[in-house]
Amino acid sequence: MKSIEVLDLIQIGSTGRNSGKTTLAKKLIAENHQRFSIYGLKIITISGRRGQCQRGEVGCGICTSIEEGYELIEETNRIGTKDTMQLLKAGCKKVYLLKVFHDHLLEGFLTFLQVVPRDTVIVCESNSLREVVKPGIFVMMANQKSIKKTAANVIQYADLILNTPELPETIRLIKDQEGVHFSKNSVEDRREKVWVH
């Protein structure tokens, strides 16, 4: 599968549901939205049978609302509990939801990039995106007893693996001409894998 590099992208993945992805994303946004412009993106990758819930459940309709390709939706509501609403409330200039079939992941993401102004940091919740995009930073929330397949496929690429949605005080988010990366007092290599318990 073709891949691209997006150095102003902070991607947050997780080994399971309710792991703290959105909590971490909100903290990163709230702490940095006055330093630089931030757009948010939540990706729901559909990989199962078309028209059927990925979790085998009935209810939300996200996976069953599209039949092919992808759908990019801008979140405009700051009041509510949906992840996209929380990212907007935390300080993003704009937030989008990308519902996408796995085989259209790069195409859908490239469409999203067309609405993002130059020099804007992107905070994205997704595991699967790492298969087609190399971000400036890839953080994996790994606090679940089991690991879902989408996380198992990409966890080896994580720059930072966290058990809680807290960044250590010694790590600071930096944005420069080379994109986004974490600064650590004692570590020169920004790609060094760090486990934080």
Side-chain angles (χ1 to χ4, degrees):
M1 192 178 277
K2 183 181 174 186
S3 70
I4 62 169
E5 189 172 61
V6 180
L7 296 177
D8 284 335
L9 171 64
I10 302 167
Q11 182 181 343
I12 304 170
S14 71
T15 56
R17 294 174 70 185
N18 302 315
S19 63
K21 287 189 314 285
T22 303
T23 301
L24 178 61
K26 289 187 323 186
K27 287 179 182 180
L28 285 169
I29 294 161
E31 291 172 5
N32 293 286
H33 77 277
Q34 293 182 341
R35 295 175 53 213
F36 33 77
S37 175
I38 302 176
Y39 271 40
L41 177 65
K42 180 169 180 77
I43 298 177
I44 297 174
T45 305
I46 304 166
S47 57
R49 288 183 49 212
R50 297 188 190 289
Q52 192 170 39
C53 177
Q54 302 299 290
R55 297 182 178 129
E57 301 169 4
V58 177
C60 80
I62 288 178
C63 298
T64 58
S65 64
I66 65 171
E67 294 186 15
E68 61 184 349
Y70 62 90
E71 182 178 18
L72 183 66
I73 304 163
E74 182 179 354
E75 180 62 76
T76 57
N77 188 353
R78 294 177 186 272
I79 302 167
T81 58
K82 289 183 180 178
D83 293 349
T84 51
M85 295 173 184
Q86 292 183 48
L87 298 180
L88 195 58
K89 194 176 352 180
C92 282
K93 294 250 188 248
K94 291 191 177 189
V95 176
Y96 291 84
L97 171 66
L98 176 62
K99 298 186 288 185
V100 59
F101 283 95
H102 190 270
D103 52 346
H104 292 275
L105 191 53
L106 183 57
E107 178 187 357
F109 183 72
L110 290 172
T111 298
F112 164 74
L113 285 182
Q114 292 176 9
V115 301
V116 179
R118 190 179 182 113
D119 293 327
T120 297
V121 171
I122 301 164
V123 175
C124 173
E125 293 184 26
S126 173
N127 284 334
S128 300
L129 185 66
R130 184 59 186 86
E131 295 176 24
V132 295
V133 175
K134 181 180 179 185
I137 299 170
F138 180 36
V139 178
M140 180 65 73
M141 296 299 304
N143 56 8
Q144 304 296 312
K145 292 179 181 172
S146 61
I147 182 168
K148 60 185 180 178
K149 183 179 178 186
T150 58
N153 290 342
V154 297
I155 195 167
Q156 70 270 18
Y157 304 121
D159 299 302
L160 188 65
I161 299 173
L162 301 174
N163 290 331
T164 64
E166 300 284 336
L167 287 176
E169 291 180 17
T170 58
I171 294 179
R172 178 174 159 79
L173 183 63
I174 303 293
K175 181 185 182 320
D176 56 25
Q177 295 169 338
E178 297 175 14
V180 291
H181 53 93
F182 287 126
S183 167
K184 280 191 65 196
N185 294 344
S186 61
V187 177
E188 292 295 320
D189 181 6
R190 70 184 183 102
R191 288 302 211 200
E192 178 175 329
K193 192 167 293 184
V194 180
W195 282 82
V196 180
H197 298 280

